[in-house]
């Protein structure tokens, strides 16, 4: 498996998941500042010309949520995704899609300072998105209850960027303790080290 990535990007969430899984993979740095994402070779892997992207034999998958879903399914022994037929799989898929469909929309709206009717925006509103996460994570340590899953890798990564990096949301105790729980995992520490080493 080959992960195309760049430091300080959405690649971190996939690095984290790969480190959780522990299977061998190769990292290929894409030099975003010098147009490394616009080469024909990389375009063939991800026509959006963005990282992260994963190549696994003949399979190519981009979009961080899709890569996380793909990897969690490919390595069921890692125990990061409820199996097909498990009732928790419904919520698991919901939170995986929530990242791209709701968190990203809410952040873009806030960043662009765009007014939109809540009924028309698929994410409702910025406040709604984070209040929903607040409600779920106030009731349980992880999105699916007591058990950490690949959905937590994705949503904790979103919260990390929103609160700690972009400072677009005021810190809340519920998110701080969730991030502490998720980010104290050795796999996150390894991914963060790779991210800061940049290699
Ligand atoms: N929806 C994509 C977003 C990927 C994305 O926007 N990647 C940024 C870095 S975080 C990128 O590659 N930017 C370089 C460019 O667009 O030229 C995902 O979740 O993977």
């Amino acid at each position: 498996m080959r992960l195309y990535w760049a430091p300080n990007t959405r690649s971190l969430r996939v690095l984290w998941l790969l480190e959780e899984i522990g299977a061998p993979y190769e990292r290929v740095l894409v030099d975003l500042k010098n147009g490394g994402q616009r080469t024909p070779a990389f375009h063939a892997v991800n026509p959006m010309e963005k990282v992260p992207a994963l190549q696994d034999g003949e399979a190519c998958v981009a979009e961080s949520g899709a890569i996380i879903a793909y990897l969690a399914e490919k390595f069921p022994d890692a125990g990061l995704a409820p199996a097909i037929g498990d009732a928790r799989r419904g919520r698991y898929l919901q939170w995986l899609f929530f990242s791209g469909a709701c968190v990203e929309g809410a952040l873009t709206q806030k960043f662009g300072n765009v007014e939109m009717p809540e009924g028309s925006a698929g994410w409702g509103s910025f406040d709604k998105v984070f209040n929903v996460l607040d409600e779920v994570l106030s009731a349980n340590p992880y999105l699916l209850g007591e058990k950490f899953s690949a959905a937590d890798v994705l949503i904790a990564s979103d919260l990390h960027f929103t609160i700690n990096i972009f400072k677009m949301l005021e810190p809340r105790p519920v998110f701080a303790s969730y991030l502490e729980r998720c980010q104290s995992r050795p796999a996150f520490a390894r991914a963060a080290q790779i991210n800061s080493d940049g290699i």
Side-chain angles (χ1 to χ4, degrees):
M1 287 190 299
R2 185 177 291 162
L3 174 68
Y4 294 86
W5 78 293
N8 306 321
T9 66
R10 291 171 179 86
S11 309
L12 178 58
R13 55 194 62 183
V14 179
L15 281 173
W16 180 3
L17 192 79
L18 283 163
E19 290 298 322
E20 291 281 353
I21 289 169
Y25 67 98
E26 178 193 348
R27 288 188 294 277
V28 179
L29 259 183
V30 180
D31 183 356
L32 298 180
K33 290 198 180 88
N34 291 303
Q37 69 276 45
R38 316 243 180 264
T39 63
F42 186 64
H43 183 95
V45 176
N46 182 8
M48 282 294 284
E49 301 178 341
K50 286 178 175 287
V51 291
L54 185 85
Q55 198 167 22
D56 178 22
E58 289 186 5
C60 286
V61 53
E63 292 302 325
S64 48
I67 301 172
I68 284 174
Y70 177 91
L71 288 170
E73 257 173 35
K74 183 178 165 110
F75 296 99
D77 289 351
L80 293 165
I84 292 173
D86 183 324
R88 288 170 304 171
R89 194 165 169 87
R91 289 287 190 227
Y92 169 72
L93 291 172
Q94 175 182 328
W95 296 122
L96 283 185
F97 282 77
F98 190 82
S99 173
C102 296
V103 177
E104 289 268 352
L107 294 179
T108 303
Q109 181 181 14
K110 179 101 166 175
F111 186 72
N113 202 15
V114 177
E115 290 291 328
M116 272 187 85
E118 283 202 35
S120 308
W123 54 91
S125 69
F126 182 89
D127 288 346
K128 178 95 177 182
V129 164
F130 292 99
N131 289 342
V132 163
L133 289 175
D134 187 324
E135 185 182 323
V136 173
L137 296 170
S138 295
N140 287 299
Y142 299 108
L143 291 165
L144 302 187
E146 294 296 322
K147 193 170 173 349
F148 179 83
S149 75
D152 294 297
V153 170
L154 192 54
I155 296 295
S157 299
D158 281 335
L159 288 171
H160 173 66
F161 274 92
T162 305
I163 298 168
N164 300 333
I165 307 291
F166 297 128
K167 310 214 183 298
M168 291 173 78
L169 181 70
E170 79 289 355
R172 298 186 195 182
V174 59
F175 294 146
S177 53
Y178 175 63
L179 284 175
E180 164 64 24
R181 264 191 304 283
C182 293
Q183 295 185 332
S184 63
R185 298 175 68 84
F188 177 79
R190 289 195 296 275
Q193 188 65 55
I194 293 165
N195 181 64
S196 61
D197 291 347
I199 48 172

